[in-house]
Each structure stands twice: as structure tokens, then as C-alpha cells.
Amino acid sequence: QVQLVESGGGLVQAGGSLRLSCAASGRTFSSYPMGWFRQAPGKEREFIACINWTGSSTYYTDSVKGRFTISRDNGKNTVYLQMNSLKPEDTAVYYCAASQRGWGTPTRRYEYDYWGQGTQVTVSS
């Protein structure tokens, strides 16, 4: 069992930056691909970024490429999402997730087995 707790959300002006953290419990964290998703009001939860278990491979949705960076520190059981050049359309609840598949960079919701409770990010114009 893996428990995930996100932090770092908040209110920021357009063009600003935030860094989200996701702390995981469980010894097997380092063997799981990790992902970030977000859900805006009235919209489906969407994939943003993922990272493989070693941290050597990442994948991003087009709308955040060049602005967001996913990384992980397996020694600290933590995955990060650095968000730069934020836009009002980035406003959403952000969730981290862990995949038991153990390999690759999964991008679909059904490929993830554990989810955090989410952290709110609000970008003002």
C-alpha cells in the first residue's frame, strides 16, 4: 500500500511559479512510475506529466511542455512538479499518482493505482 500526500499549492499571479511536492509512504515507492494529473471545475481529470521509476525518463502533455518539470528523489520518497510561467488555465486541483506497473511512463488514469487527495493551484490573471 502506498499513501500519497501533495503539498505546495496556492494562489499565484500569472507568470509566476510554484513547486508541488508529493510525499509517499511505503518502501516500494522507488520502484513505481509516478504521475501528476489535474482537474479543473467541470472538467475531466487530465494527465500532465509522468516519470519512470529511476527518474531517467519523463513525459509531458503538450500544454505544459517547456513550463513544467517533473522530478523525483527516491531517497526522500518524494516526487516534484516545478511549474513556471503559470497561466490562468492552469488553475485546477493537482493530484499525484503512483503506478504499480513498475516500468515506463504511463499517461492514462487507469494505469495508476494510488492517488493523493490533491492540492489546489489557483492562477490569477
Side-chain angles (χ1 to χ4, degrees):
Q1 189 77 11
V2 175
Q3 291 186 328
L4 305 173
V5 179
E6 302 96 336
S7 62
L11 174 64
V12 63
Q13 287 188 332
S17 298
L18 283 174
R19 187 175 83 153
L20 305 184
S21 298
C22 174
S25 64
R27 297 179 182 178
T28 54
F29 167 82
S30 61
S31 64
Y32 290 167
M34 298 294 294
W36 285 97
F37 290 73
R38 67 186 179 189
Q39 187 166 17
K43 294 189 177 182
E44 295 283 324
R45 190 172 300 188
E46 65 170 346
F47 166 81
I48 301 172
C50 59
I51 188 166
N52 71 342
W53 69 277
T54 65
S56 62
S57 181
T58 59
Y59 187 82
Y60 300 90
T61 193
D62 286 347
S63 62
V64 307
K65 282 181 182 176
R67 300 190 299 124
F68 291 12
T69 303
I70 188 171
S71 62
R72 67 189 298 161
D73 185 336
N74 287 341
K76 295 182 178 180
N77 278 13
T78 303
V79 64
Y80 304 97
L81 185 69
Q82 178 66 44
M83 306 187 294
N84 298 329
S85 302
L86 282 161
K87 305 175 182 180
E89 51 263 44
D90 294 318
T91 295
V93 177
Y94 284 68
Y95 299 89
C96 70
S99 172
Q100 287 184 316
R101 62 185 288 170
W103 54 272
T105 49
T107 62
R108 296 175 176 82
R109 286 181 61 181
Y110 69 83
E111 295 179 295
Y112 288 86
D113 305 283
Y114 303 103
W115 293 84
Q117 293 300 306
T119 186
Q120 176 70 46
V121 172
T122 303
V123 184
S124 63
S125 57

